[in-house]
Amino acid sequence: MSDAPISRTSSLDNALRALVSNVTQVEAQAAVAAAAERSAPPSSPQAIDPAKALLDTARVQAAVRQGGLAPLFANLTQARAIAGLPVEVRAAIQQLLAFPAPATADWSAQTVRQAFLRSGLFHEVRLAEEAPTPDLKAALLILKQALGENIAPQPRLPPRPAIAPPPTRDAALAGQPAVDAEITRETERQPALQILGRDVEQALARQVLHQMASLPEGAKSAWMFEFPLVTHQGVAIAQFEIEQDHGGSQSAEATRPWRARVSLDIDPLGPVHAELLLKDGVASATIWAEREAGLSQLRDHIAELAGAFPAPVTFRSGAPPARPPPSGQFVSITS
């Protein structure tokens, strides 16, 4: 894996804008429409941008299909014990189960960086490399292909209700707790493959939404991704967002604010959210715990946390303040 620093270069911007073009036909059409728009004469301010319209359509379609990673990993753990699994399916399952990192590991900046690079966010970008680094999206696509070659023709399972909201830029983060598996040792092979097929489709749709949320936007770069963690209860999912405000092309790199957020939900702590801000060379860290018992446990380990964060740590009860919802994203029609 390359250790070159991640920067906001024009080539990375272009790659991020193109990375969704290979996922669905709608996204491919969006890329074509964008090229046509660039070569067309300037339009009136009221004209609809066809590239944006198609990208919005693709985003909505992915939002309807998306589901959390936690149910998939719970089912993968059980499915590998089923007798008679096709060799290629078992190999794809083992590859995915190699991704979760121990939640109790010593999480340094380098550990987070490795999780970032392996999250699948840059999957399409890295395909051009001579020896692409394995990432989470690549492993999901391999499992999807293996399942497609072995699932018997039959009606598709209805989508599993999403356990996490669709990821959008600047929205509240939500870690996913470990969940019980739907697959058991008694589940027959074909029903198990059907369940995995549904879960991997929903996981891939969620990956696409994270990639869309990470597209360059104005003077701010942001990257949203998730990574699985091994806990005593099973595999939980941590959600991250890393962003930098460029503040104009003349701003010095050292003075541009950086912010990193992470949310996770692990018993007995419950939902916990952390934010690290670096601005004008000064760092600060804030940790929120939604359970009072979890907040008390965190305060009991203040010395360890102070050593983990290169900044003073502030504890707060509840969840981080909600930001104004991003415009042009999703509207909930549930009540």
Side-chain angles (χ1 to χ4, degrees):
M1 178 180 298
S2 170
D3 287 327
I6 299 170
S7 61
R8 188 180 187 268
T9 63
S10 60
S11 59
L12 177 57
D13 286 357
N14 292 335
L16 281 170
R17 291 183 187 279
L19 58 79
V20 295
S21 64
N22 295 323
V23 182
T24 68
Q25 184 61 34
V26 173
E27 290 145 346
Q29 293 171 352
V32 174
E37 181 71 9
R38 286 192 295 269
S39 61
S43 57
S44 64
Q46 291 76 25
I48 297 176
D49 183 348
K52 182 180 183 302
L54 287 170
L55 194 61
D56 288 344
T57 300
R59 182 182 288 112
V60 171
Q61 290 181 349
V64 172
R65 299 196 310 268
Q66 73 94 27
L69 286 169
L72 171 63
F73 276 96
N75 283 322
L76 289 173
T77 304
Q78 293 297 318
R80 63 180 172 180
I82 294 176
L85 276 182
V87 174
E88 59 272 25
V89 173
R90 190 179 299 278
I93 289 174
Q94 288 300 119
Q95 184 178 5
L96 268 168
L97 289 176
F99 277 87
T104 55
D106 182 12
W107 278 76
S108 64
Q110 181 63 17
T111 307
V112 175
R113 185 178 188 278
Q114 296 295 318
F116 175 41
L117 294 175
R118 300 182 68 206
S119 66
L121 189 61
F122 297 96
H123 172 71
E124 285 77 7
V125 178
R126 293 183 174 274
L127 288 178
E129 297 179 356
E130 184 174 344
T133 302
D135 61 52
L136 186 57
K137 186 174 183 181
L140 289 169
L141 289 169
I142 291 171
L143 177 58
K144 177 183 177 180
Q145 180 178 354
L147 291 169
E149 295 170 353
N150 289 279
I151 294 178
Q154 53 186 301
R156 300 182 64 177
L157 295 177
R160 178 197 296 273
I163 64 172
T168 58
R169 176 78 68 89
D170 289 333
L173 301 185
Q176 300 167 39
V179 298
D180 293 333
E182 185 177 349
I183 295 175
T184 68
R185 291 180 179 271
E186 289 71 38
T187 305
E188 296 182 358
R189 184 178 66 177
Q190 276 301 319
L193 295 180
Q194 284 274 60
I195 292 170
L196 291 179
R198 175 201 61 197
D199 288 352
V200 77
E201 289 280 1
Q202 292 186 262
L204 279 168
R206 186 167 178 84
Q207 286 281 81
V208 171
L209 289 173
H210 274 103
Q211 291 179 295
M212 289 183 175
S214 301
L215 290 171
E217 186 176 286
K220 181 188 292 185
S221 292
W223 299 273
M224 291 188 69
F225 64 99
E226 291 180 322
F227 205 77
L229 304 173
V230 178
T231 73
H232 293 301
Q233 295 80 30
V235 177
I237 309 299
Q239 188 176 28
F240 296 80
E241 182 182 64
I242 301 172
E243 67 179 18
Q244 182 183 30
D245 191 341
H246 296 271
S249 58
Q250 302 302 317
S251 298
E253 181 71 23
T255 63
R256 296 171 180 170
W258 280 92
R259 186 181 67 148
R261 297 190 295 154
V262 60
S263 290
L264 63 159
D265 189 345
I266 299 175
D267 280 336
L269 293 176
V272 173
H273 317 275
E275 176 179 294
L276 181 63
L277 179 66
L278 179 61
K279 185 175 182 180
D280 297 327
V282 179
S284 60
T286 306
I287 298 177
W288 291 264
E290 296 189 23
R291 295 180 187 172
E292 287 300 325
L295 183 62
S296 177
Q297 287 187 329
L298 289 171
R299 284 175 169 156
D300 289 343
H301 293 82
I302 180 62
E304 298 173 40
L305 290 169
F309 287 94
V313 181
T314 300
F315 293 100
R316 299 189 185 280
S317 178
R323 293 184 172 191
S327 61
Q329 298 289 324
F330 310 115
V331 176
S332 175
I333 58 173
T334 60
S335 60

